[in-house]
Amino acid sequence: MVQPREGMANLNPPVETVRPRYENRIQQRLQAGAFVLTLESPPLSGSKPFEEVVESVIRMGRWIQQDGRVAALTISDRVRTDHDHDALLVGRMVAEATGILPVVHWAGKGRVLPDLERDLERARQEGMEAFLFITGDALREPPPDRPARYLDSVQSLWIARRTLPAAFLAAAVNPFKYREEELLGQYVKAMKKLRAGADVLITQIGWDPRKFQELRAFLASRGIPAPILASVWLLTPSLALRIREVKLPGVPIPADFLRRLEEDAKAEDGGRSRAIRRAALQVVGARLLGYAGAHLCGVHAERTLEQLLDQVAALEADCPDLESWRTAWQEVMTHPDGRPVQLAPEGAFYLDQGEGPAEASPGEVRAFRILETIDHWMFQPASPVARLGASLLGPVGRHSAAGRVLARVEHAIKGPWVGCQLCGFCRLPYTFFVCPETCPKGLANGPCGGTDGNTCEFGDRECIHARIYRLAKHTGQLEKWEQTWVPPVPEEIRGTCSWIGHFQESGPRSEILPSAPQVQRRPAPASPVPVRGGSAPFPED
């Protein structure tokens, strides 16, 4: 596999960065070692008038400013529609109204590098240097005339950290995966995000305590002190019933949990109080487990937020340790007939089980070795063929007649074999010769959070990163994969011949990510006792 090249000539940070004008309470509380609560704003739905959306978000921001228990809002982005209102603009309006810096979500769905560069410059000028970078789910209305573009979160983080060195940057991780490939894909990508510059990780929504424990144990085993916020969704029975038929990418609601919610709905209040208690218990459990905080989702009314926070305070008094917490959690996650709610599928994979079963198939290994050999003999600088290619293609322009002919030749050769889409910058050597363009989102640095049992969010194929993981594992290069940052493809070179750019040494360059911040290595927390179905409570820590 080709070693990534050093240097990023076209991504120089500005000489001066405007200092934020607003109080960053999240960063302050994290640095003080306090347990941090954040609240995700109501969706900035583009189908609603801008004034109505802003009013509801600012109202919530002012409430938490006065209450003080929640550090700050995070401003959602492209949740309800592909064209939600401008999250950075709404975030600035919240900051001006409250004096508190919100964290602006920035979803890469439907966006390319110039979009990110423009928003980073806006953030620098307006003192809004706090972001949560996510890739985002599938576009609801993809463009009819070209493939949809997605800027993945590792790319966004690396560029943002170079552009805004002092910014507060957050990243997402989804530990609620139950196949080896998709789980380790998430953890490897989380390490890439930390290497790329993330200050904090925020989990995807989930309910399996054993997975919360697993993520923290994984980072501890690597000596990584990165703070983690546990996402807590106030899932009421009425909401669960509305979304029963809607598959939320990356947030599967276990069928047995839905049955428990149906039972809750029979209560006089429709299960609302039990839902609040369950969410409050997750917040308390996260604190007891050693998480740095909790990220509250689905709470869009001040009265509901106050009830949730009051419930958290009461439960902290009632559950001062994990043993008492465990009893309370089991009470809300048990069916009326005494059966525990099953939160994981049969045969679920957990890291404490030891070596996983995933292995690259003979066909995968054979294809990798063939392509690796071709790359070695034709494209490595020391190869005679490469030297000849450099001399022949040196004067050829990408958009010249000869360049267009070469592009057709490249596509004819590589298209049937690896699914080449003529990026103009071939990433095959950096992705174990699995073409990122065969991912519907074109992700090159790891999987999104929307997979389900190794199946792509789009539901029509295996996630390509499952194959990449198996090949990295087979070749002993998982650490190397974790260190590799693959840059986005510039739109202006798409459709051109990548061979020209390679031999002319032009275009983007892959980089070696720096090491993630570490502490002195220490033993990982005790692993939970395996329980059938994966519904064990938090273990003793």
Side-chain angles (χ1 to χ4, degrees), residues 84-387:
D84 281 0
H85 295 299
D86 185 343
L88 191 55
L89 173 59
V90 175
R92 191 194 72 196
M93 296 174 74
V94 169
E96 290 174 347
T98 65
I100 300 171
L101 182 68
V103 174
V104 175
H105 297 205
W106 199 92
K109 58 189 270 187
R111 287 174 168 143
V112 291
L113 180 57
D115 298 316
L116 175 63
E117 291 171 336
R118 282 192 295 269
D119 281 349
L120 291 177
E121 178 58 22
R122 288 173 59 200
R124 187 186 68 80
Q125 293 178 359
E126 298 170 4
M128 293 294 298
E129 298 182 24
F131 286 97
L132 166 62
F133 287 109
I134 56 176
T135 300
D137 57 6
L139 286 166
R140 291 163 175 78
E141 299 176 4
D145 56 339
R146 60 171 177 81
R149 302 291 184 227
Y150 297 78
L151 196 63
D152 85 48
S153 51
V154 178
Q155 294 169 339
S156 300
L157 278 162
W158 185 233
I159 294 165
R161 179 56 72 203
R162 289 294 188 90
T163 306
L164 304 175
F168 179 77
L169 305 181
V173 58
N174 192 339
F176 305 102
K177 302 295 183 182
Y178 296 96
R179 293 280 297 272
E180 178 187 353
E181 297 96 319
E182 62 178 354
L183 176 65
L184 270 298
Q186 283 292 314
Y187 287 170
V188 167
K189 191 168 186 179
M191 291 299 298
K192 284 194 178 193
K193 292 174 181 179
L194 292 171
R195 287 172 175 270
D199 295 300
V200 62
L201 293 175
I202 302 178
T203 73
Q204 181 56 282
I205 295 163
W207 294 271
D208 185 347
R210 192 172 164 190
K211 283 295 182 181
F212 279 112
Q213 162 67 10
E214 178 184 76
L215 172 60
R216 184 167 175 267
F218 171 79
L219 291 178
S221 71
R222 301 290 299 272
I224 305 299
I228 318 170
L229 306 187
S231 284
V232 175
W233 191 18
L234 181 58
L235 182 63
T236 62
S238 59
L239 176 59
L241 290 173
R242 288 200 303 272
I243 65 175
R244 175 195 291 273
E245 303 302 326
V246 180
K247 186 177 180 182
L248 297 180
V251 191
I253 303 175
D256 202 39
F257 186 24
L258 282 172
R259 285 189 282 271
R260 171 68 264 189
L261 291 171
E262 289 174 353
E263 293 156 356
D264 293 348
K266 298 174 184 177
E268 186 174 340
D269 67 350
R272 183 175 179 276
S273 60
R274 194 176 183 92
I276 292 174
R277 179 175 177 81
R278 185 179 290 114
L281 276 167
Q282 280 197 283
V283 174
V284 175
R287 183 198 290 266
L288 292 170
L289 186 58
Y291 273 60
H295 177 57
L296 308 177
C297 310
V299 185
H300 301 153
E302 294 89 335
R303 176 173 171 270
T304 303
L305 178 58
E306 184 173 24
Q307 290 174 330
L308 174 58
L309 296 177
D310 290 346
Q311 185 79 210
V312 169
L315 286 169
E316 284 176 335
D318 294 341
C319 303
D321 52 41
L322 279 168
E323 184 61 36
S324 56
W325 178 88
R326 179 182 295 112
T327 300
W329 179 253
Q330 288 176 332
E331 186 273 328
V332 298
M333 297 302 284
T334 300
H335 292 287
D337 62 5
R339 291 184 300 107
V341 173
Q342 298 300 303
L343 295 172
E346 290 293 328
F349 177 78
Y350 292 87
L351 285 183
D352 59 49
Q353 296 171 343
E355 180 70 17
E359 296 290 344
S361 69
E364 289 172 340
V365 174
R366 183 167 55 252
F368 170 79
R369 293 302 183 195
I370 292 172
L371 289 166
E372 182 183 46
T373 300
I374 293 173
D375 179 73
H376 175 78
W377 286 105
M378 295 190 68
F379 296 101
Q380 292 300 299
S383 164
V385 178
R387 290 197 295 269

